[in-house]
Amino acid sequence: MGEKVEAVAFDLADRQEYRRKLRQCLAGLARLLAEKRFDRPKNLMGLEIELNLVGSDGLPRMMNAEVLKRIASRDFQTELGMFNLEANIAPHRLESRVLDRLAEELRTALAYADRKANEVDAGIALIGILPTLGRHHLVSGNLSDVDRYMLLNQQIVAARGEDFALDIEGVEHLVCTSASIAPEAACTSVQLHLQVTPQRFADVWNAAQAVAAVQIALGANSPFLFGRELWRESRIPLFLQSTDTRPPELQAQGVRPRTWFGERWINDAYELFEENLKYFPALLPLPDDEDPLSVLDEGGVPRLAELVLHNGTVYRWNRPVYGVADGVPHLRVENRVLPAGPTVTDVVANAAFYYGVVRALASDARPVWTRMPFEAAAANFEEACRNGIEAQLEWPRPGRRAGTAKVPAVTLVRDELLPLAAAGLDAWGVEAADRDFYLGVIEERCHRRVNGATWQAATFHRALESGLDRDAALAATTRRYCELMRAGEPVHTWPVGLPAAVPTG
């Protein structure tokens, strides 16, 4: 959804023409695949990270346009809410000191953005959901003043035909409604891109789906929404419900939601693009003037603009991406599972684990997805979102024993997945010192059973016990989180609770 679009009105003819163009694009993609036109392996990874703007009081600041003007860099852009920004890191080859280089680039970029935000009494916060967000912050008037967001909101609201219902039951229970998609803006994530060849795409996507639950268990960082303590990663159900175009009747019929884990393992990338057309009506029927089949007939490479735009409005947690760079088409797996934060070190550790374990699982002679039902992967994902690092996950038994068994997420990571992640990073050619440092962060999280969500919840409850009311405790927790985030030590080292210097009333 990073495409630039203009606010327009659509009629039936627009939708019919767009459907025709989507089918042309899909046929064009099929030809590109059949003709083996895609880029050769380059071991390229990329990263995007969504940010919150927070005042010194711990409350959100609705001023991304002003902060972006001061940052004045194409590496930063708007996101859905006026308190959101997104930072984009240029693609890197997965090799050598890539992890340390990535960490240094992130620290430099985010420190610069933070200084610029400080000029207008704001700061950058890396967190899945800002604990101090209230319902009054997440209204249509606080959507970024950008045509694509206004148009997307208009079309999703029109497709649903009624208010959005938020109903999340965790430690506490939240039930409320929203007249717009604004609650989606509460969700700030890290997106990890991996360029792959068509021949490897299915293996990489299946591997990413299999470990999505493990990523959440390790990296959960969104325990609060609208003042309620919910799931350890409340971002996942919130995103699903705040973008749900289905009224209750269609939900009861089993119509698929636009935020979707999926329902099966795949054999090739084409299947995912085809499913997106088959199951999801276009939200933004904006036809491009390109004729993709004619471009192919002339030996060129089509942009497939309609397919790319439509693909961006189907919110898979592992999304297929088609792109063109230097006149050559490529495919990427976009991993959208992780929340932002808590620190740059934690973000890079999460990335190291993902890229390593996916490489290893995708190369396994007995792939995990041939030994585990897809339904188990989907159930694991929900279990991890609810319970975070305490999750119990279904996983194939080791060795050649048949079947699956329930295992604590931390045990699965320490005993099986960390060695695989290390082997995967070795296969990429990542420097051993970087491999050991960043996977060591993951190992320590497992050892201490600490991630961003557990720290936030524990510190919030300590603040309540000190005599603060709920809103003050959430604000104090947020301020302390931001202090420790800027200090930069990984979250498993953070002391729980508020320092004595923090006021208690």
Side-chain angles (χ1 to χ4, degrees):
M1 261 307 294
E3 299 295 314
K4 291 184 178 179
V5 300
E6 296 180 2
V8 294
F10 304 120
D11 59 24
L12 292 177
D14 293 323
R15 295 187 181 279
Q16 290 169 346
E17 171 63 9
Y18 195 77
R19 184 178 289 116
R20 184 186 72 82
K21 288 297 298 292
L22 276 174
R23 289 172 178 159
Q24 277 195 341
C25 288
L26 192 62
L29 177 65
R31 277 183 57 178
L32 286 164
L33 289 166
E35 295 169 9
K36 296 181 168 48
R37 299 278 299 277
F38 283 85
D39 203 358
R40 296 175 182 176
K42 287 186 176 178
N43 296 353
L44 283 179
M45 57 82 70
L47 184 147
E48 304 167 55
I49 185 166
E50 296 164 350
L51 316 167
N52 287 280
L53 292 172
V54 186
S56 56
D57 55 4
L59 299 178
R61 297 279 279 157
M62 305 293 169
M63 55 192 319
N64 61 0
E66 186 170 350
V67 172
L68 280 169
K69 190 179 297 183
R70 290 171 179 270
I71 293 174
S73 168
R74 291 184 179 179
D75 294 339
F76 290 85
Q77 61 187 42
T78 57
E79 255 300 327
L80 182 62
M82 292 174 67
F83 58 96
N84 301 141
L85 301 175
E86 182 176 89
N88 297 283
I89 300 300
H92 287 67
R93 285 189 183 275
L94 266 164
E95 61 184 13
S96 186
R97 302 304 303 271
V98 63
L99 298 175
D100 258 5
R101 288 199 304 271
L102 180 63
E104 184 58 31
E105 286 185 31
L106 276 171
R107 288 192 187 97
T108 301
L110 297 179
Y112 173 72
D114 196 47
R115 288 196 302 274
K116 291 300 179 183
N118 289 167
E119 294 174 5
V120 287
D121 189 29
I124 299 296
L126 304 175
I127 196 166
I129 297 176
L130 196 62
T132 50
L133 281 169
R135 290 180 60 185
H136 61 288
H137 295 124
L138 294 170
V139 294
S140 57
N142 284 335
L143 294 176
S144 293
D145 187 17
V146 177
D147 281 347
R148 71 177 182 270
Y149 300 131
M150 301 299 181
L151 187 56
L152 185 66
N153 178 60
Q154 178 190 70
Q155 294 301 304
I156 291 180
V157 168
R160 184 173 174 87
E162 57 188 81
D163 285 355
F164 296 87
L166 302 182
D167 186 344
I168 306 172
E169 186 167 8
V171 178
E172 298 175 294
H173 193 183
L174 173 70
V175 179
C176 63
T177 60
S178 173
S180 75
I181 65 169
E184 180 197 334
C187 306
T188 42
S189 66
V190 170
Q191 290 122 46
L192 301 174
H193 290 253
L194 179 60
Q195 184 175 326
V196 294
T197 62
Q199 294 75 23
R200 296 285 291 159
F201 186 96
D203 289 344
V204 171
W205 188 86
N206 288 338
Q209 289 285 95
V211 299
V214 181
Q215 288 181 274
I216 288 288
L218 292 169
N221 197 26
S222 313
F224 298 105
L225 176 65
F226 298 162
R228 303 289 176 86
E229 185 179 354
L230 302 172
W231 294 11
R232 283 302 184 243
E233 189 52 39
S234 307
R235 199 180 101 258
I236 302 298
L238 171 60
F239 201 105
L240 187 155
Q241 294 177 20
S242 62
T243 59
D244 199 343
T245 56
R246 307 168 303 163
E249 295 82 3
L250 292 184
Q251 294 180 38
Q253 291 175 35
V255 172
R256 296 162 181 85
R258 293 192 85 95
T259 298
W260 196 33
F261 187 77
E263 59 193 17
R264 62 188 176 91
W265 308 116
I266 65 166
N267 297 304
D268 59 60
Y270 181 86
E271 296 173 23
L272 297 177
F273 291 98
E274 184 182 37
E275 281 184 350
N276 285 355
L277 268 65
K278 182 188 297 185
Y279 297 144
F280 302 104
L283 287 177
L284 302 173
L286 296 162
D288 188 73
D289 57 8
E290 176 187 74
D291 182 334
L293 300 182
S294 294
V295 171
L296 281 167
D297 289 340
E298 294 166 4
V301 174
R303 298 186 304 273
L304 305 185
E306 291 88 355
L307 189 72
V308 170
L309 181 58
H310 181 62
N311 192 57
T313 65
V314 179
Y315 304 104
R316 295 179 184 269
W317 294 111
N318 284 293
R319 175 188 275 162
V321 177
Y322 170 87
V324 180
D326 300 323
V328 182
H330 66 263
L331 293 173
R332 303 194 303 275
V333 174
E334 180 189 14
N335 178 260
R336 306 173 60 252
V337 167
L338 289 164
T343 67
V344 167
T345 297
D346 288 301
V347 168
V348 176
N350 290 339
F353 177 80
Y354 170 75
Y355 287 119
V357 80
V358 164
R359 171 71 183 253
L361 291 178
S363 305
D364 197 331
R366 296 181 65 233
V368 64
W369 56 92
T370 66
R371 299 182 287 134
M372 180 171 74
F374 189 89
E375 293 74 17
N380 283 346
F381 190 62
E382 180 170 331
E383 162 71 9
C385 292
R386 287 182 179 276
N387 297 312
I389 208 156
E390 300 297 334
Q392 302 277 325
L393 305 179
E394 186 175 344
W395 197 258
R397 290 187 175 92
R400 296 196 170 273
R401 298 166 62 193
T404 61
K406 286 278 190 180
V407 59
V410 293
T411 302
L412 174 63
V413 172
R414 284 191 309 224
D415 293 353
E416 185 171 347
L417 297 184
L418 272 174
L420 285 176
L425 292 176
D426 287 345
W428 288 121
V430 170
E431 183 74 27
D434 288 4
R435 175 202 67 200
D436 292 344
F437 175 77
Y438 289 105
L439 293 185
V441 171
I442 300 297
E443 185 173 20
E444 279 301 305
R445 276 194 224 152
C446 292
H447 176 69
R448 304 187 192 195
R449 293 179 180 261
V450 169
N451 57 22
T454 64
W455 184 90
Q456 287 186 57
T459 296
F460 167 73
H461 286 290
R462 289 271 187 94
L464 288 179
E465 291 164 6
S466 75
L468 294 180
D469 65 30
R470 178 173 285 250
D471 287 345
L474 288 167
T477 298
T478 303
R479 292 194 299 271
R480 180 61 173 157
Y481 179 102
C482 290
E483 289 170 8
L484 294 169
M485 176 201 74
R486 290 188 179 96
E489 293 300 316
V491 71
H492 68 264
T493 68
W494 291 8
V496 170
L498 306 176
V502 174
T504 58

